[in-house]
Amino acid sequence: MAEQSFFSELRQRRVFQAAAVYIAVAWGATEIVVTVVEQLFLPAWVSTLVVIIFMVGFPLAMFLAWTFDLTRDGIQRTTIESRRGKATIVLSFLLLVAGSTGLFFLIKPAEQSRGSADPDVPPHSVAVLPFVDDGLKPADAYLTEGLSDELRDQLGRSGIRIAARSSSVQARQQGLDPLATASRLRVANVVEGSMRDQGNKLRIYVELIEGSSGLALWFKTFERGPNELLQVQQSIAEEVARIVLDEDDPVVAEPATRDVNANELMLLAQHYERQVRDRQVVDHDTLLEAIRLYREATEADPESALAHSRLAGALLYLGDLDSAEAPIFRALSLNPDLSEVRNTLGEYYWLRGLPGAETEFARAVQLDPNNADALHNYGYSLWLSQSHSPAPVKDISLLFRRAMDLDPLSVSRRAALGELLGQAGRIEEVREVIRGIRQLFDSVESYRAIGWLKELIGEYDEAIAWTIRARELEPGNPDHVSKLAILFALIGDPETAERLESGPSLGLLFQLRRYGDLVDDGELRMIDDPGDIEARFLLALAYNATGQFASAIRVLKSVGIPSTSIDQPVRSVLEIEASFTFVNALAGLAEPESLELARSLA
């Protein structure tokens, strides 16, 4: 039969052996090329080109194997005289053409899909991934994170839409390649690189990769001393801005400082501050070290607005509002048109309970519509401002969604949106947020967020299940135990709640309605930790519940209630609840003046 004849011809002409040898050589060569590309920091498209060459060359190699024989006398062309042999050659040639055509149409759609830009992705957008530590001295390890952070900030101030830091860090930690990173973060381009020690110099490799194709648009290797890192940063920023903005001479924002010493101090300070903020636990010693370095940076470059602003931000995170006042207003006087400065000023006003926070957040968003932190803070301030009714929840949620679009791999951004929707009673939309978190994340932080959102919409059993999963992954965190105790109290299981938390927290005592114990513990807490505002709010609730209305009013007045709720936007949901507690305490006194004030507040 013709089919048997064809395969007989293939065996006789040693086509199968040729195919096996070709595949083995191609596979080995490709592995070598990939290794060389990685080690010599060559662009990624080199590996892709080699693979395409071998794929396109395979049909040609098979045709040559069919047409020529390797004999003792050398390579000779095969001659076929029989009619069946000629028919077999024609059939094999047609199969070769069909195979080559099929290979072409297999590759072409993939290349087209990779090369075609998504119309929903902003063209002038970039994700700057943390640079890879490829062999730095331990003392210099912070430079990889610092250079990428500063590039991200400088490019963002140059008019480029930048993916937020937390999402870029997550993309690196998840091991996403440039194509997956661009797709997940919805950016058109990706900047990545590596750093290593090269004698007394740093060897820095960086490339700008097109997100739709994975091809390198630009790449360069720098060999500079540590004191020349600012020059490297500026060179990278200028080249990336030129290509992304498609301008021959783009206007590139100045770096945070032009002083070499101030720059190194700020990079190290940011490294320590990030350690604290990423853990979401106030490690005072580490944070104080960051503050010390920021202070030295402001002394090395007194004209750097961002150095003063970042010092103020770290002080605010520490809770030292008095010390934060001077640097934030110094930053404002140096450059009032920086979004970061306006956002930090808004945080200062917010924590002080002063009017103007909402205005500053709005100004920060106006100066940089891609500042995810400012978008979040502006939305949060609108949400809790008494000058707004619940009606504009849709508009406020747009601010949260814009922050989430810029920071799509941040659990906290999604949780904030879910909290807003949950407080507004939009249960189905909260469930949609939860589904999004489950699809994208598998971490302790995501389990905590889902547990909180489930609690918010009243699904306590599921909240317990997710909190248990978080505790299993992070058994040393006492917060999981406290949360579980409160959740069991909410479902009416006080025995389990008390068994989980041997020394009940104030929150658990409140949930268990043990108001007498809450009063005793709360009064001790006010002595031991007078700055614990939440403890004062809970103590006031317990005073109300036990009929000690004058004591409740005294405690609430000590933290600015009700003046904050009358004249200024409140700063948290707890303050809203505390304002209602104050009104109830006034009514409980049943005195003419207190009743009149309670009516006016209500």
Side-chain angles (χ1 to χ4, degrees):
M1 294 177 65
E3 182 180 355
Q4 293 175 342
S5 176
F6 173 64
F7 284 103
S8 297
E9 288 284 346
L10 287 176
R11 285 194 296 272
Q12 291 175 6
R13 296 166 185 274
R14 298 184 178 87
V15 173
F16 291 127
Q17 293 94 322
V21 171
Y22 186 92
I23 291 172
V25 171
W27 185 272
T30 302
E31 289 294 318
I32 293 172
V33 168
V34 169
T35 303
V36 171
V37 166
E38 291 178 352
Q39 294 300 318
L40 296 183
F41 305 106
L42 297 176
W45 60 261
V46 174
S47 301
T48 305
L49 179 62
V50 170
V51 172
I52 292 174
I53 288 173
F54 278 122
M55 290 179 67
V56 173
F58 181 75
L60 178 61
M62 296 305 96
F63 178 74
L64 293 174
W66 175 275
T67 307
F68 297 94
D69 284 334
L70 185 61
T71 69
R72 294 178 179 179
D73 299 326
I75 298 175
Q76 295 184 0
R77 183 180 180 87
T78 304
T79 58
I80 300 295
E81 296 180 356
S82 68
R83 182 177 300 176
R84 173 178 290 184
K86 291 180 179 179
T88 304
I89 289 179
V90 172
L91 176 61
S92 64
F93 182 76
L94 291 175
L95 288 173
L96 175 63
V97 172
S100 300
T101 305
L103 183 61
F104 171 77
F105 283 107
L106 179 67
I107 296 173
K108 184 178 179 182
E111 290 301 315
Q112 286 180 335
S113 64
R114 289 173 64 179
S116 58
D118 187 339
D120 295 331
V121 174
H124 307 318
S125 56
V126 174
V128 181
L129 301 186
F131 279 44
V132 175
D133 182 345
D134 196 34
L136 288 173
K137 299 183 184 73
D140 293 335
Y142 70 94
L143 295 176
T144 56
E145 179 185 49
L147 178 58
S148 57
D149 284 348
E150 289 302 315
L151 271 174
R152 195 177 296 114
D153 171 70
Q154 189 176 2
L155 290 171
R157 289 185 283 111
S158 301
I160 298 174
R161 185 181 187 270
I162 299 293
R165 176 189 179 274
S166 54
S167 285
S168 298
V169 171
Q170 277 293 314
R172 173 64 74 197
Q173 291 176 349
Q174 293 178 16
L176 301 180
D177 61 33
L179 285 172
T181 298
S183 174
R184 192 72 63 84
L185 303 189
R186 302 193 63 76
V187 293
N189 307 279
V190 175
V191 173
E192 64 175 12
S194 60
M195 299 177 68
R196 67 164 59 172
D197 283 316
Q198 194 83 11
N200 60 349
K201 292 183 178 295
L202 293 173
R203 193 169 194 267
I204 304 164
Y205 173 75
V206 61
E207 61 181 336
L208 173 65
I209 301 170
E210 186 178 47
S212 59
S213 66
L215 299 179
L217 300 175
W218 170 78
F219 61 93
K220 189 170 182 178
T221 300
F222 300 86
E223 288 191 7
R224 299 285 191 276
N227 290 336
E228 298 174 287
L229 202 58
L230 261 177
Q231 298 174 13
V232 174
Q233 176 186 324
Q234 187 66 20
S235 297
I236 296 172
E238 289 174 355
E239 194 62 35
V240 170
R242 183 185 66 79
I243 296 172
V244 172
L245 297 176
D246 195 21
E247 298 176 6
D248 292 333
D249 190 20
V251 178
V252 179
E254 289 287 311
T257 176
R258 285 288 189 180
D259 185 274
V260 172
N261 292 329
N263 182 64
E264 185 173 350
L265 289 165
M266 287 174 68
L267 292 181
L268 190 54
Q270 275 193 304
H271 172 70
Y272 287 128
E273 185 183 1
R274 295 295 188 194
Q275 286 183 358
V276 176
R277 289 182 181 264
D278 288 347
R279 287 199 301 264
Q280 296 182 336
V281 176
V282 181
D283 179 344
H284 287 84
D285 291 339
T286 303
L287 192 55
L288 286 171
E289 178 63 12
I291 289 169
R292 182 187 69 79
L293 292 166
Y294 277 133
R295 286 194 190 281
E296 290 187 13
T298 61
E299 293 167 1
D301 184 3
E303 301 303 309
S304 171
L306 288 173
H308 290 283
S309 177
R310 291 171 189 176
L311 169 60
L315 287 165
L316 291 176
Y317 198 74
L318 181 67
D320 190 350
L321 307 188
D322 292 336
S323 297
E325 182 176 354
I328 187 54
F329 282 104
R330 174 61 177 162
L332 186 67
S333 67
L334 288 169
N335 194 338
D337 295 326
L338 286 176
S339 178
E340 182 181 324
V341 170
R342 291 288 184 175
N343 184 61
T344 306
L345 179 60
E347 290 175 347
Y348 172 76
Y349 284 150
W350 184 263
L351 293 171
R352 278 288 193 193
L354 299 172
E358 186 179 310
T359 302
E360 291 304 325
F361 292 141
R363 178 63 175 150
V365 171
Q366 181 184 21
L367 289 168
D368 182 3
N370 298 319
N371 185 334
D373 290 334
L375 286 164
H376 175 90
N377 288 339
Y378 185 34
Y380 201 80
S381 66
L382 289 175
W383 175 20
L384 295 180
S385 172
Q386 284 200 321
S387 61
H388 292 78
S389 66
V393 167
K394 180 179 179 181
D395 296 335
I396 296 171
S397 70
L398 289 177
L399 292 168
F400 281 86
R401 291 184 190 278
R402 283 172 59 191
M404 192 175 72
D405 288 342
L406 289 161
D407 201 2
L409 294 185
S410 168
V411 175
S412 61
R413 302 285 186 205
R414 295 175 184 272
L417 175 62
E419 183 180 1
L420 167 69
L421 297 171
Q423 295 287 354
R426 302 188 177 190
I427 307 301
E428 286 305 316
E429 291 182 69
V430 176
R431 292 192 177 117
E432 182 63 30
V433 171
I434 292 173
R435 281 192 288 271
I437 294 175
R438 292 187 63 178
Q439 289 171 1
L440 288 173
F441 307 100
D442 184 20
S443 63
V444 171
E445 187 183 7
S446 66
Y447 296 166
R448 279 199 300 262
I450 294 172
W452 158 236
L453 294 178
K454 288 289 187 180
E455 177 189 351
L456 191 62
I457 60 178
E459 297 177 357
Y460 299 126
D461 289 340
E462 291 192 44
I464 289 172
W466 284 101
T467 306
I468 289 174
R469 292 183 69 179
R471 185 186 62 175
E472 289 172 349
L473 282 183
E474 201 176 42
N477 189 339
D479 291 345
H480 300 317
V481 178
S482 299
K483 174 56 70 175
L484 279 173
I486 289 175
L487 287 170
F488 275 105
L490 286 171
I491 64 172
D493 188 353
E495 293 81 8
T496 301
E498 293 187 76
R499 188 165 61 250
L500 282 167
E501 210 171 37
S502 56
S505 64
L506 298 183
L508 179 58
L509 290 174
F510 173 73
Q511 292 295 340
L512 295 174
R513 305 296 187 262
R514 288 168 51 181
Y515 298 121
D517 291 339
L518 201 163
V519 167
D520 293 339
D521 289 1
E523 289 175 342
L524 290 174
R525 179 71 63 83
M526 286 180 61
I527 297 172
D528 295 337
D529 187 2
D532 191 339
I533 305 300
E534 183 177 355
R536 291 174 182 261
F537 289 164
L538 288 170
L539 179 59
L541 284 168
Y543 279 139
N544 257 10
T546 54
Q548 302 176 66
F549 305 116
S551 295
I553 292 171
R554 172 179 54 80
V555 169
L556 290 172
K557 281 186 174 181
S558 71
V559 292
I561 302 294
S563 60
T564 298
S565 61
I566 295 175
D567 304 322
Q568 302 141 8
V570 295
R571 293 162 290 175
S572 69
V573 174
L574 281 174
E575 287 191 10
I576 296 175
E577 296 174 352
S579 299
F580 285 114
T581 302
F582 187 83
V583 171
N584 291 333
L586 289 171
L589 287 177
E591 298 174 355
E593 290 184 3
S594 63
L595 286 172
E596 183 61 31
L597 180 56
R599 291 190 189 96
S600 66
L601 288 173

